[in-house]
């Protein structure tokens, strides 16, 4: 059993599950309605760029806000602006405003949503004892994966039954749930700005820097695989939607299985376990190079989902264990920039796929994941040398 402050933690987790599921409903609705409004797939890419850009561009500002502003006050600011800007988004689509104005509103809203994402991850440690941190982070990742599966399905149903503006307004409900369930949050960030020297801190914490760098390499060369998966299915297995759905489901299933294991396990959040997941991740890519059978390929993807999620979750756990509380927000805001490298990796792998062949793509992924493994080996060496833990 997890030794948690049950009432406050239960409310926190419940509200986040509702809000994250609604986020995925919103993503599906935005993509679909944008296509209907513009008739152009390129604007869907613009919408998703507008959603992701603020977390990349303003990571340092976001981290500073989380580390210096009261958690409860920041929560109210985030969700009040989220509700207001969601109304603006719904109104903009209803009135068919210029698409670039809509993109600007979405980008502004995404800034506040990015703060919410980092704050949520930074607060996890406040609800648990250190020995239970890995279970709490695993539960958070499990919630995200379940929401990722349930949200798009629910979004499709809602778009078929209700007016699009109603569906676009649902993030208001998500924000209301967060506020109602968490009227106060743990107040752990009371640092004065002049004492908050993040770069000086990171210079003396090479393991944290290597953890973040290893995560960037894994996103750029490993997790970006899902972006080119439709192209791989089309060229290697034929244009079969069911095969693509099967492969996607197997990756998600692997992620969920390892997260359930993490929640029931102890002593898994070590550098050596990070090395193990890196090696398994690399091996799965090597195996994919030589497999043409659909079901064997799906089985390897299950292992890939297992190992990649294990690496990502262990990496997040280790970051939180190594960082001091007063720098938690800033470090997590930098660390979680890694998600922005997934679309960049997708562009790189897609270019290689179109210009060369799938084997070159696999070899590039292996090279990049070897860089991840090198970072992990350097961390193990520094941990042994300096005794950091």
């Amino acid at each position: 059993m997890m030794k948690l402050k049950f009432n406050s933690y239960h409310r926190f987790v419940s509200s986040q599950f509702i809000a994250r599921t609604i986020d995925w409903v919103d993503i599906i609705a935005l993509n679909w309605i944008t296509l209907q409004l513009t008739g152009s797939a390129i604007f869907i890419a613009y919408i998703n760029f507008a959603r992701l850009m603020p977390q990349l561009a303003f990571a340092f500002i976001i981290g500073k806000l989380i580390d210096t502003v009261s958690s409860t006050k920041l929560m109210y600011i985030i969700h009040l602006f989220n509700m207001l800007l969601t109304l603006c988004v719904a109104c903009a689509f209803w009135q068919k405003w210029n698409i670039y104005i809509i993109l600007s509103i979405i980008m502004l809203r995404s800034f506040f949503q990015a703060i919410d994402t980092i704050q949520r991850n930074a607060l996890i440690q406040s609800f648990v004892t250190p020995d239970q941190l890995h279970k709490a982070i695993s539960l958070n990742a499990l919630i995200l994966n379940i929401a990722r599966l349930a949200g798009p399905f629910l979004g499709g149903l809602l778009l078929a039954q209700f007016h699009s503006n109603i569906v676009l307004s649902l993030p208001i409900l998500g924000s209301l749930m967060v506020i109602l369930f968490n009227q106060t949050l743990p107040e752990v960030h009371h640092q004065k700005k002049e004492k908050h020297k993040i770069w000086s801190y990171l210079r003396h914490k090479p393991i944290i820097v290597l953890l973040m760098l290893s995560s960037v390499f894994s996103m750029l060369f490993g997790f970006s695989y899902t972006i080119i998966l439709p192209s791989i299915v089309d060229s290697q297995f034929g244009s079969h939607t069911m095969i693509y759905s099967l492969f996607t489901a197997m990756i998600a299933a692997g992620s969920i299985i390892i997260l359930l294991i993490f929640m029931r396990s102890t002593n898994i959040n070590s550098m050596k376990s990070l090395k193990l997941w890196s090696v398994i991740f690399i091996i799965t890519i090597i195996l994919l190079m030589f497999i043409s059978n659909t079901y064997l390929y799906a089985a390897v993807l299950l292992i890939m989902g297992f190992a990649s999620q294990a690496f990502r979750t262990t990496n997040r756990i280790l970051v939180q264990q190594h960082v001091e509380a007063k720098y938690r927000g800033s470090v997590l805001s930098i660390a979680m920039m890694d998600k922005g490298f997934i679309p960049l990796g997708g562009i790189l792998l897609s270019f290689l796929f179109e210009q060369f062949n799938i084997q070159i793509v696999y070899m590039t992924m292996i090279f990049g994941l070897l860089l991840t493994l090198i970072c992990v080996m350097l961390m193990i060496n520094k941990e042994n040398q300096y005794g950091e833990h």
Side-chain angles (χ1 to χ4, degrees):
M1 295 293 292
M2 293 178 66
K3 298 178 181 179
L4 306 170
K5 300 174 184 177
F6 180 74
N7 291 333
S8 59
Y9 185 75
H10 184 264
R11 292 195 301 271
F12 180 77
V13 169
S14 299
S15 65
Q16 294 305 326
F17 175 67
I18 295 170
R20 298 294 73 77
T21 302
I22 290 175
D23 282 349
W24 276 103
V25 172
D26 186 57
I27 290 168
I28 295 300
L30 281 173
N31 289 343
W32 176 254
I33 297 166
T34 298
L35 184 62
Q36 300 304 305
L37 177 66
T38 66
S40 172
I42 192 64
F43 282 105
I44 295 177
Y46 292 164
I47 287 286
N48 285 283
F49 173 79
R51 287 180 44 251
L52 292 171
M53 193 281 291
Q55 189 163 326
L56 279 171
F58 302 109
F60 307 115
I61 296 173
I62 291 170
K64 198 70 168 289
L65 284 171
I66 292 169
D67 284 335
T68 56
V69 178
S70 160
S71 301
T72 302
K73 180 180 178 180
L74 194 57
M75 176 188 69
Y76 282 105
I77 293 172
I78 290 166
H79 291 287
L80 288 173
F81 272 100
N82 188 54
M83 289 188 284
L84 175 63
L85 292 167
T86 295
L87 279 176
C88 292
V89 170
C91 179
F93 275 103
W94 181 38
Q95 297 292 330
K96 297 183 178 179
W97 290 1
N98 182 283
I99 187 64
Y100 293 104
I101 296 176
I102 296 175
L103 287 170
S104 299
I105 298 171
I106 291 172
M107 192 175 295
L108 180 59
R109 184 180 66 167
S110 296
F111 172 74
F112 292 98
Q113 291 174 338
I115 302 174
D116 179 53
T117 299
I118 306 301
Q119 184 186 48
R120 173 166 41 88
N121 281 270
L123 282 170
I124 291 173
Q125 196 164 345
S126 303
F127 290 100
V128 298
T129 57
D131 63 312
Q132 298 293 314
L133 178 62
H134 71 281
K135 295 185 179 182
I137 292 178
S138 299
L139 176 60
N140 183 63
L142 180 63
I143 287 171
L144 295 180
N145 277 278
I146 294 174
R148 185 176 66 179
L149 290 175
F153 175 74
L154 183 59
L157 290 178
L158 292 174
L159 283 170
Q161 298 295 323
F162 298 98
H163 193 279
S164 59
N165 288 319
I166 295 176
V167 182
L168 285 175
S169 300
L170 282 178
I172 295 174
L173 177 62
S175 284
L176 285 173
M177 290 298 100
V178 172
I179 291 173
L180 290 173
F181 279 49
N182 308 277
Q183 295 178 28
T184 60
L185 291 173
E187 300 298 345
V188 294
H189 310 297
H190 293 297
Q191 302 302 319
K192 295 181 179 179
K193 294 182 179 180
E194 60 269 17
K195 293 183 179 180
H196 196 274
K197 299 177 181 178
I198 182 63
W199 296 117
S200 176
Y201 175 72
L202 288 176
R203 279 198 298 271
H204 295 90
K205 292 289 183 178
I207 286 184
I208 295 177
V209 175
L210 287 168
L211 279 167
M212 292 190 289
L213 192 59
S214 67
S215 186
V216 166
F217 286 139
S218 73
M219 298 291 167
L220 188 61
F221 295 102
F223 286 85
S224 56
Y225 169 83
T226 55
I227 294 177
I228 63 163
L229 183 57
S231 300
I232 293 174
V233 171
D234 184 61
S235 67
Q236 197 166 332
F237 300 97
S239 301
H240 298 294
T241 307
M242 287 304 298
I243 293 179
Y244 173 59
S245 300
L246 170 66
F247 287 175
T248 304
M250 294 302 281
I251 295 172
S255 299
I256 291 172
I257 289 169
I258 187 60
L259 290 169
L260 290 172
I261 293 172
F262 270 29
M263 289 173 60
R264 301 179 62 85
S265 303
T266 57
N267 300 322
I268 56 173
N269 49 319
S270 67
M271 294 295 179
K272 290 184 179 179
S273 63
L274 199 65
K275 175 185 173 183
L276 173 64
W277 305 131
S278 303
V279 171
I280 296 175
F281 201 173
I282 293 170
I283 291 172
T284 59
I285 304 301
I286 295 173
L287 290 174
L288 292 178
M289 293 180 69
F290 303 101
I291 294 176
S292 56
N293 179 273
T294 302
Y295 297 104
L296 281 177
Y297 201 96
V300 174
L301 289 181
L302 177 72
I303 300 171
M304 178 196 282
F306 187 98
S308 60
Q309 185 63 61
F311 176 88
R312 185 176 190 174
T313 304
T314 303
N315 189 287
R316 290 280 189 265
I317 293 168
L318 290 170
V319 168
Q320 294 228 30
Q321 286 182 334
H322 282 79
V323 69
E324 294 178 23
K326 75 173 185 176
Y327 293 107
R328 195 180 302 153
S330 293
V331 170
L332 283 177
S333 69
I334 298 170
M336 293 184 71
M337 286 172 61
D338 58 8
K339 291 191 296 184
F341 287 89
I342 295 178
L344 293 177
I347 293 171
L348 171 63
L349 297 182
S350 298
F351 173 79
L352 293 174
F353 180 80
E354 292 179 359
Q355 297 297 318
F356 301 99
N357 54 56
I358 186 60
Q359 297 303 317
I360 296 296
V361 171
Y362 287 138
M363 290 173 65
T364 303
M365 292 176 67
I366 292 168
F367 170 77
L369 290 174
L370 284 172
L371 294 177
T372 300
L373 182 59
I374 290 170
C375 288
V376 175
M377 296 301 293
L378 289 172
M379 283 186 273
I380 292 174
N381 180 63
K382 288 188 177 295
E383 192 173 53
N384 292 335
Q385 182 177 357
Y386 299 110
E388 292 195 45
H389 51 268

